[in-house]
Amino acid sequence: MARLGSWIEPFPEGIYIKPADAWVDPSQPKERALVTHGHADHARGGHGRVWATPETLAIMDCRYGPQPAAPVAYGEVVRIGEVDFSFVPAGHVLGSAQIVMEHKGERIVVSGDYKRRADPTCLPFEPVPCDIFITEATFGLPVFRHPETASEIDRLLLRLHENPERCVLVGAYALGKAQRLIVEMRCRGHHDPIYIHGALQRLCDLYVEQGVDLGDLRPATGASKEELKGKIVMAPPGCLNDRWSRRLPDPITAMASGWMRIRQRARQRNVELPLIVSDHADWDELTQTIRELAPREVWITHGREDALKQWCTLHQIKARELNLVGYEDEDD
C-alpha cells in the first residue's frame, strides 16, 4: 500500500506534484508552476505556464512583466494531468490562495502563507479539511502571539496626534502590508492624506484597480516639511534610516511587522514605535488551524519548523519538516 501523499515530493526548490508534472511555488523556473501568492519568495518569473488567482497574476505582471498565465478563480477546479486543483482564500494578501490538490481519493492542502485575522484588503482564510496539511511556520514559536490589529493602529494614531509638529514614518512592505495598514487606518477614522514613497506607488495603484479603496494618497517626494507635519508617511523598511528620510520633519520611526515582537529587531532598525502587525498566522493560529482541519499528517515549511513539529507530536499528529529553501520573512 502506497504511503499517504506518495504522489507529491518536496525538493529544496519547491513541491513537485508528480501526476501533474507541476510545481507549487517553485523558487526556480519550471515548465508548470502553481503559485499561492505574489510575494517574491513564492512568485518568481520565468515559468513556462503559471496557474494562480487573477489578482496574483496581476501582481506578477506588475513585478515581472506579462506572464504565461492560466487564471484560476477561487473555488474553480482545474485538472492538470491526473490531479484536480482548486484555489481557496488564504487571508495573507490580495489574491493569496491555498492550493487544494485531489488525487486517488487523497486531499492535500498547501497553505502558502496565511493568517486568520480579519484583513479588509483580502478574503479571509477558508478552512479545508484534508489528509495532509502543508503549513507555513513563519511564527511557529509560542512567543509569537500577535495583539489585536486595532490596538496597534490606535497606538500609531495616538502617537501622531500627540506630536503635531512631527510626522510618523511607517516602514511597511510594498505588497500587502502597506495597503492593509492604510485601510486599517481609514477604518479607525484617519482620513487625512497619507504620503507614500515612490516604491509603494505601483502596488497601491494595483490594489485600487482591484477595488480596494485606499483613500487620499499623495507622493511624499516633493512635499515640503511643513506639509508633512502631523502626517503619516509610508515607505519600504529599507528607507527608514537612509538619506530619503532625512528630509522629513523630525520623523517618529515606526515599523509594522510580526518581528517587532522581538525588541532587538526593533533596536537594530532604530525603530521608535514598533507595531506588531503581521500577515502570517501566530502560534495560536497555527495550532488552532491544525486542530480545526484535523489532518492525518502535517508537513511544515519555511519557518520555525522544530517547535511546530514537536507540538504535533505531543498531540498525536504525524508531522515532518520539508526544509524548503528560498522562503524568507521579508514580506511580513
Side-chain angles (χ1 to χ4, degrees):
M1 184 177 177
R3 65 174 172 80
L4 188 64
S6 61
W7 45 281
I8 73 172
E9 187 172 355
F11 287 87
E13 70 266 33
I15 298 170
Y16 179 57
I17 317 303
K18 289 181 281 187
D21 190 22
W23 295 75
V24 173
D25 286 354
S27 59
Q28 299 173 5
K30 301 294 182 182
E31 186 58 32
R32 297 182 183 89
L34 296 102
V35 176
T36 59
H37 66 282
H39 280 133
D41 56 341
H42 292 257
R44 314 292 175 100
H47 303 304
R49 192 164 177 80
V50 179
W51 285 262
T53 64
E55 297 88 351
T56 292
L57 290 168
I59 290 165
M60 293 180 71
D61 286 352
C62 181
R63 290 187 147 184
Y64 306 123
Q67 300 297 301
V72 185
Y74 288 128
E76 180 183 354
V77 178
V78 296
R79 190 167 182 85
I80 306 172
E82 302 173 10
V83 182
D84 288 329
F85 294 90
S86 58
F87 287 61
V88 299
H92 179 55
V93 297
L94 181 69
S96 61
Q98 306 167 78
I99 297 177
V100 182
M101 307 178 291
E102 300 191 66
H103 177 65
K104 290 188 175 179
E106 293 179 3
R107 178 185 288 166
I108 298 175
V109 175
V110 181
S111 74
D113 290 338
Y114 75 98
K115 67 175 177 292
R116 304 300 301 266
R117 306 293 175 95
D119 180 340
T121 68
C122 65
L123 293 176
F125 179 93
E126 182 179 310
V128 179
C130 52
D131 298 294
I132 297 176
F133 185 50
I134 302 178
T135 180
E136 67 139 313
T138 302
F139 291 110
L141 289 172
V143 67
F144 292 113
R145 289 183 163 94
H146 306 324
E148 292 298 319
T149 304
S151 67
E152 297 299 283
I153 299 300
D154 287 346
R155 290 177 56 233
L156 167 62
L157 297 178
L158 178 62
R159 186 67 68 91
L160 178 71
H161 296 151
E162 289 177 342
N163 295 272
E165 296 301 309
R166 305 175 70 182
C167 71
V168 178
L169 173 60
V170 183
Y173 293 105
L175 171 57
K177 184 60 61 64
Q179 297 79 20
R180 180 186 175 195
L181 287 176
I182 291 167
V183 178
E184 294 281 7
M185 284 188 275
R186 302 308 192 195
C187 291
R188 303 301 289 174
H190 183 76
H191 299 295
D192 288 356
I194 293 175
Y195 292 79
I196 61 173
H197 188 283
L200 305 183
Q201 188 69 57
R202 282 195 309 161
L203 285 168
C204 285
D205 290 345
L206 185 147
Y207 265 63
V208 172
E209 291 168 8
Q210 294 291 326
V212 179
D213 183 6
L214 300 179
D216 187 356
L217 300 184
R218 301 182 185 181
T221 301
S224 67
K225 281 192 175 184
E226 192 63 31
E227 184 180 353
L228 294 175
K229 287 181 179 180
K231 297 296 190 294
I232 299 286
V233 181
M234 301 190 70
C239 297
L240 291 183
N241 298 298
D242 70 0
R243 289 179 59 187
W244 182 87
S245 66
R246 295 174 194 168
R247 50 178 296 282
L248 302 176
D250 191 17
I252 298 166
T253 302
M255 182 169 172
S257 170
W259 298 109
M260 290 297 98
R261 172 68 72 184
I262 307 301
R263 292 180 181 179
Q264 186 175 0
R265 288 216 179 193
R267 288 196 295 267
Q268 287 171 345
R269 290 178 174 268
N270 296 316
V271 172
E272 182 178 344
L273 180 61
L275 301 169
I276 306 169
V277 179
S278 177
D279 288 321
H280 294 266
D282 68 7
W283 174 258
D284 289 335
E285 292 166 339
L286 290 168
T287 56
Q288 289 167 8
T289 299
I290 293 170
R291 288 182 191 273
E292 181 178 3
L293 302 183
R296 293 163 62 189
E297 293 186 16
V298 173
W299 296 5
I300 307 166
T301 70
H302 58 284
R304 280 61 196 165
E305 300 176 4
D306 289 348
L308 193 57
K309 180 183 177 183
Q310 177 67 12
W311 181 91
C312 289
T313 300
L314 290 173
H315 290 80
Q316 290 76 53
I317 302 169
K318 187 176 180 180
R320 62 181 287 199
E321 303 170 36
L322 298 191
N323 299 310
L324 305 182
V325 299
Y327 297 95
E328 308 294 342
D329 57 42
E330 293 307 311
D331 57 291
D332 187 67

